[in-house]
Amino acid sequence: MTSVIPLAQFFLLFLFLSGACFAVGDTTDTKSIDFFEPKKEPGSDQDVFKTQGGMGSDFRKFGEEVAQRIDRIVKKKTFEIWGDPWTMQGIPIVFPSNASGFNLGLRLQWQNIRRQDPHEVEVIAQVLASDRGRQKHIVQVDFPWAFKNRFRVTTLFAYDRDVSIRYFGIGNKNPFSQALLDANDPLYSHVQEGPTLSLSWLYYLTRQIRVGPVLSLKWTNISAAPGSVLEQQQPSGVAGGRSHSMGLALIFDTLDFEPYPSRGNYHELFFNAYQKHLTGSQYDFTRTTYTFRKFISLNRRLIFAHRTLFEYLSGDVPFFELGAVGGTASAQALGGDRFLRGYEANRFIDKIRLIMGFELRWDPIFAGFFGQDMTVGFVPFFDVGRVWPDKFPNEFDNWHASGGWGLRFIWNSRLVLRFDTAFTLDGARILVNLGNSF
């Protein structure tokens, strides 16, 4: 992780060398804009308060001031394409890893911010490769207000070749040797590789409620290391194959600003069916995922954030799907850098899982740099969770917990660079990734 330190120093340097430095909340930012409208020229048919003095004049002056402030904010952070304001964030990805080697890549994000709740259009592209064969490439396009604000349409294409993913066995308690892991012993090793294509088409019942189908096509190739736990146990899915699914999503969302929320609730219920006769999957099983997130603004610089995730899988579930959490924030299961941070990814996998996370997000430092908003934040966190087999949970001991603190660099309230130091019973780990844990 030696390359992380110079990167952190670089961010701190430009924050304090920038022209202006404020605490978060002391200056207007893009989170205050809901919908972009160009300024109206005096004398247009929109200039309805054209009187001299009196209430009409006060309203007109107030409206002009608001329009001018919005215009300055939009121009400061954006460029125009076909009359719409766009913003872009990009960051090189450079870091060494004991498990995956030296990683090099680039991530870019573009948003049309004619709307700010969260955007009119967003495009995310990432390329990442390592000298040991790891690959992680992503292209995602999101239209939150498509077809006259009636649908949210999101499509994703990803190609992953993960050489550092581990298999420790299925269950809440598995034999584990940190010394073998640190020595890159092949006991826990295997390689997962393949593309994923997904499409969600959600209809707005109200502004806060959306529902609709979700289609996912996924191909996975598995290469088990000779003598590994995976080769010894031969769980379902050891030969890889297709895990295509068709499902339904129901979301209730009152978040104030999706890219970096400070208040509101988020309930998400996802049901996915992986069926041979329906989707062409090689495995017959179902996945039901419920996610709850809550954000409370304790003051303008401090946010309490919470997430609860409960997931139930039933049927012939391949082990590589046991190691994935469903929903819109799909990721590796318990362990890694998003769920139960600090443990190895897939440290605990089974058909039923409950995970809770808590954070205090303190964003005390704001700086303007080349017309961009840069924020430094500090985040103490605590995670707890466990898994059960395919039956109603009847054991409530042996919970796994982790805690620690993190550092955040936030670009225009949209791109988050995350550094976490997490402590578990297995030891301490430094985690670096993009985006908040939730």
Side-chain angles (χ1 to χ4, degrees):
M1 305 303 295
T2 55
S3 66
V4 172
I5 304 303
L7 184 58
Q9 290 175 340
F10 170 74
F11 270 95
L12 290 172
L13 180 63
F14 77 60
L15 283 171
F16 290 105
L17 291 180
S18 55
C21 189
F22 310 92
V24 172
D26 290 345
T27 184
T28 310
D29 60 23
T30 53
K31 294 174 70 171
S32 65
I33 311 171
D34 180 64
F35 194 88
F36 170 77
E37 289 286 358
K39 285 197 303 182
K40 306 300 180 182
E41 295 297 328
S44 70
D45 56 359
Q46 300 292 327
D47 195 9
V48 294
F49 297 106
K50 205 173 180 180
T51 58
Q52 298 294 325
M55 183 179 294
S57 178
D58 291 340
F59 272 109
R60 179 173 59 82
K61 292 177 180 178
F62 173 77
E64 288 176 352
E65 182 180 355
V66 170
Q68 289 170 1
R69 288 185 179 183
I70 291 176
D71 190 57
R72 286 197 302 268
I73 293 167
V74 169
K75 286 182 177 179
K76 183 179 72 170
K77 301 176 180 63
T78 68
F79 53 93
E80 281 197 3
I81 299 179
W82 297 317
D84 282 354
W86 286 71
T87 183
M88 181 178 73
Q89 304 88 41
I91 187 169
I93 307 172
V94 183
F95 66 95
S97 168
N98 185 49
S100 62
F102 185 79
N103 291 256
L104 180 64
L106 176 67
R107 184 183 179 96
L108 295 174
Q109 297 182 181
W110 300 268
Q111 296 94 13
N112 179 325
I113 57 170
R114 182 176 180 84
R115 296 190 73 139
Q116 284 281 345
D117 54 349
H119 41 254
E120 187 80 6
V121 182
E122 180 180 60
V123 180
I124 297 176
Q126 174 182 295
V127 292
L128 176 66
S130 82
D131 58 356
R132 294 186 187 172
R134 182 193 184 196
Q135 298 183 53
K136 192 171 184 66
H137 313 307
I138 299 170
V139 177
Q140 177 178 297
V141 183
D142 181 35
F143 299 89
W145 304 101
F147 302 104
K148 299 182 179 179
N149 301 335
R150 296 179 180 177
F151 294 90
R152 180 164 193 167
V153 180
T154 306
T155 183
L156 167 72
F157 173 78
Y159 180 83
D160 290 298
R161 187 176 190 273
D162 201 321
V163 300
S164 61
I165 199 166
R166 313 296 187 181
Y167 176 77
F168 302 95
I170 297 172
N172 195 56
K173 295 181 291 183
N174 291 304
F176 173 72
S177 170
Q178 185 67 50
L180 291 177
L181 193 68
D182 293 340
N184 281 325
D185 189 280
L187 181 64
Y188 304 119
S189 299
H190 69 286
V191 176
Q192 291 188 20
E193 178 180 7
T196 301
L197 178 64
S198 67
L199 173 67
S200 66
W201 193 284
L202 307 183
Y203 176 72
Y204 285 96
L205 297 176
T206 68
R207 184 180 175 87
Q208 290 80 30
I209 302 174
R210 52 190 184 267
V211 61
V214 180
L215 175 66
S216 177
L217 304 175
K218 183 178 179 181
W219 294 263
T220 304
N221 295 320
I222 302 294
S223 300
S228 65
V229 175
L230 182 61
E231 186 186 61
Q232 296 173 33
Q233 295 187 358
Q234 294 287 307
S236 176
V238 71
R242 302 182 304 273
S243 54
H244 304 335
S245 71
M246 182 176 294
L248 184 69
L250 175 63
I251 297 174
F252 175 73
D253 178 4
T254 64
L255 301 182
D256 61 338
F257 185 67
E258 182 181 294
Y260 197 80
S262 59
R263 62 178 62 86
N265 299 315
Y266 182 91
H267 299 267
E268 174 184 297
L269 182 62
F270 260 62
F271 175 79
N272 284 85
Y274 304 74
Q275 304 294 324
K276 294 180 180 180
H277 65 278
L278 180 64
T279 65
S281 172
Q282 292 180 236
Y283 306 89
D284 280 315
F285 66 101
T286 61
R287 181 196 300 271
T288 304
T289 309
Y290 169 69
T291 305
F292 168 65
R293 292 188 291 150
K294 186 175 185 64
F295 300 88
I296 301 174
S297 181
L298 302 178
N299 65 36
R300 61 185 179 181
R301 307 178 191 180
L302 186 64
I303 302 166
F304 171 77
H306 168 68
R307 174 183 60 193
T308 293
L309 181 140
F310 179 80
E311 186 166 76
Y312 175 72
L313 296 101
S314 177
D316 178 23
V317 188
F319 81 93
F320 54 84
E321 290 293 346
L322 285 177
V325 170
T328 55
S330 180
Q332 291 303 117
L334 275 72
D337 63 81
R338 293 191 181 275
F339 295 92
L340 209 59
R341 285 164 281 185
Y343 286 97
E344 287 289 330
N346 291 339
R347 181 73 172 82
F348 314 102
I349 62 174
D350 218 322
K351 291 187 175 180
I352 300 176
R353 61 197 63 164
L354 175 62
I355 315 166
M356 291 175 284
F358 306 86
E359 292 187 350
L360 275 178
R361 299 177 181 175
W362 180 43
D363 300 333
I365 303 171
F366 170 89
F369 183 75
F370 287 108
Q372 305 294 301
D373 288 345
M374 300 293 179
T375 304
V376 176
F378 305 93
V379 181
F381 62 86
F382 177 75
D383 298 338
V384 62
R386 65 156 295 164
V387 299
W388 294 267
D390 187 10
K391 59 182 179 180
F392 187 80
N394 57 2
E395 296 181 4
F396 293 95
D397 57 351
N398 295 314
W399 289 84
H400 309 289
S402 68
W405 55 83
L407 180 66
R408 304 289 184 268
F409 296 106
I410 308 158
W411 185 349
N412 285 347
S413 299
R414 293 182 179 273
L415 180 65
V416 179
L417 178 61
R418 172 163 51 97
F419 299 83
D420 285 336
T421 302
F423 299 90
T424 71
L425 293 179
D426 290 346
R429 296 183 67 194
I430 296 177
L431 308 167
V432 182
N433 210 332
L434 296 173
N436 278 310
S437 178
F438 58 89

